[in-house]
Amino acid sequence: MADPLAKLSPDQLKRVRKTRQPAWIDPMLATLTNDYFSDPEWVFEPKLDGIRCIAFKKGDRVVLLSRNKLDLTAAYIRVADALRKQEGDFILDGELAAIEGDRTSFSLLQQARHQKVPLAYFVFDIPFVNGSDLRGVDLLGRKAALKAAIRFKAPLRFVSHIETDGEAYFEEACKRGWEGLIAKRAASTYVKGRTKDWLKFKCSNEQEFVIGGYTDPQGSRTGFGALLVGYYDNGELLYAGKVGTGFDHETLLELLARMKPLERDASPFAGDPPLRKGVHWLKPKLVAQVGFAEWTPDGRLRHPRFLGLRSDKKARDVVRERG
């Protein structure tokens, strides 16, 4: 392995801190915006439709953790093995995703439980390497260190970026069926939590929702009819609508099995129950990824479709994303 710090300028090296590698770091999170722009002080990366993953390597030990510290190592053992073969110690930040043509697909990632699908770990940051804390180094310096530290070969992929026209790149991304772009301030340091130094440009509306109930199936449908979903606002679970599409037969049965043990008598949603007949209320534990056309003026989802369950997000962290 080339020395990652050799890629840093003298000014960048001044921001490196020598310290013991921690067992956990809080990831840096992007903020949704509808204001798309081009700016020479920003870079633009593809937005990946998968599971956020922080990878830790210390000696021969590799651990893959989700945003809420769920251990993903056993589920993605091929990625863990590829990282174990790398030289040195490090912490990487990236996304585990399934590849469908030239884009990533969260729906396809869900099928990995039942069939073999093309998977990759897309790496876009390196907060720590060989006892050096790089979080105080600017983004472009960390990117340079990342390329020097890791030998990128399947299933490991380096997330490239452009430094030119963000608006044109966003238009191209949407035409190619990508989820969108992440805009990152080139001079940004790596900080924990949500920040406006990283911004999400989304081609379509898609976010997580808490499952608070389900309806009985109608006609020839098996399992259940629709999911009743919502999001938290000031500690209250607000109802956002019914999701009745996006399920195959197997998913209907699997989801029903997951929901049955969570049934409760009363609605978990704030205010009067949104429905009264043929409804099974749930403890708000499960989180679904949902795509939709738009929000209605009364705060409901228009044309929602189920994309999959998220095990990497806590129900209490689910809020309405606003641009």
Side-chain angles (χ1 to χ4, degrees):
M1 174 179 68
D3 179 10
L5 300 188
K7 299 295 182 180
L8 303 183
S9 69
D11 286 341
Q12 290 169 332
L13 284 171
K14 291 178 183 178
R15 295 179 171 272
V16 175
R17 187 167 65 93
K18 291 293 183 179
T19 184
R20 179 181 298 179
Q21 181 168 301
W24 172 252
I25 62 166
D26 291 302
M28 190 167 177
L29 306 174
T31 299
L32 179 67
T33 182
N34 292 322
D35 298 324
Y36 314 128
F37 60 86
S38 300
D39 189 315
E41 296 183 356
W42 290 69
V43 301
F44 304 90
E45 300 174 356
K47 187 177 187 307
L48 302 161
D49 199 4
I51 298 173
R52 185 74 172 271
C53 175
I54 314 298
F56 300 80
K57 179 178 181 288
K58 185 76 170 176
D60 291 331
R61 185 170 184 264
V62 172
V63 179
L64 308 178
L65 296 177
S66 70
R67 261 179 54 184
N68 61 347
K69 301 184 184 180
L70 180 69
D71 195 329
L72 305 171
T73 314
Y76 298 93
I77 194 66
R78 184 165 170 254
V79 170
D81 287 343
L83 292 174
R84 193 173 291 109
K85 295 174 183 177
Q86 301 289 321
E87 297 179 32
D89 300 331
F90 48 74
I91 298 177
L92 305 180
D93 193 356
E95 194 100 356
L96 291 164
I99 304 165
E100 189 173 48
D102 67 346
R103 66 187 186 95
T104 55
S105 169
F106 187 77
S107 296
L108 184 61
L109 185 63
Q110 300 297 294
Q111 299 174 28
R113 294 171 296 170
H114 310 295
Q115 57 185 290
K116 189 174 182 179
V117 300
L119 295 172
Y121 182 36
F122 293 84
V123 188
F124 49 71
D125 218 314
I126 184 166
F128 276 80
V129 63
N130 295 333
S132 294
D133 183 347
L134 304 185
R135 288 177 294 182
V137 177
D138 63 84
L139 173 68
L140 293 185
R142 299 195 309 273
K143 287 274 196 183
L146 173 60
K147 291 192 77 172
I150 303 299
R151 302 187 306 275
F152 284 97
K153 180 180 178 182
L156 307 178
R157 292 199 180 188
F158 176 77
V159 179
S160 59
H161 62 272
I162 68 166
E163 302 178 34
T164 53
D165 194 337
E167 290 161 300
Y169 192 30
F170 178 61
E171 183 177 346
E172 177 189 351
C174 295
K175 286 179 180 178
R176 296 174 71 171
W178 296 359
E179 192 184 355
L181 297 180
I182 300 292
K184 297 180 177 180
R185 193 183 302 275
S188 62
T189 57
Y190 193 99
V191 298
K192 68 179 182 180
R194 205 162 297 281
T195 170
K196 292 188 176 180
D197 279 341
W198 288 10
L199 300 173
K200 289 186 279 191
F201 296 0
K202 281 193 171 184
C203 295
S204 60
N205 293 312
E206 182 181 312
Q207 74 157 82
E208 309 90 29
F209 289 94
V210 179
I211 303 175
Y214 66 92
T215 62
D216 286 330
Q218 302 293 320
S220 60
R221 184 146 175 172
T222 57
F224 61 89
L227 302 176
L228 309 182
V229 301
Y231 59 92
Y232 280 98
D233 185 67
N234 292 322
E236 292 186 320
L237 184 62
L238 303 186
Y239 180 66
K242 295 194 300 183
V243 182
T245 62
F247 312 101
D248 57 22
H249 177 73
E250 192 171 36
T251 302
L252 287 167
L253 297 181
E254 285 186 353
L255 260 179
L256 182 63
R258 294 283 298 272
M259 294 189 292
K260 276 287 187 184
L262 299 175
E263 289 191 11
R264 55 183 271 178
D265 294 333
S267 167
F269 298 106
D272 294 332
L275 298 172
R276 295 184 183 275
K277 292 184 178 181
V279 177
H280 301 260
W281 302 116
L282 302 176
K283 297 175 184 176
K285 300 289 186 182
L286 298 177
V287 177
Q289 187 78 6
V290 176
F292 56 97
E294 61 181 350
W295 288 94
T296 65
D298 60 347
R300 298 290 188 268
L301 301 175
R302 193 185 304 280
H303 306 309
R305 63 193 182 284
F306 177 78
L307 299 176
L309 281 181
R310 297 210 72 116
S311 59
D312 60 325
K313 303 288 178 73
K314 294 180 180 178
R316 277 282 175 180
D317 293 338
V318 174
V319 297
R320 177 173 171 177
E321 291 190 344
R322 299 177 187 272

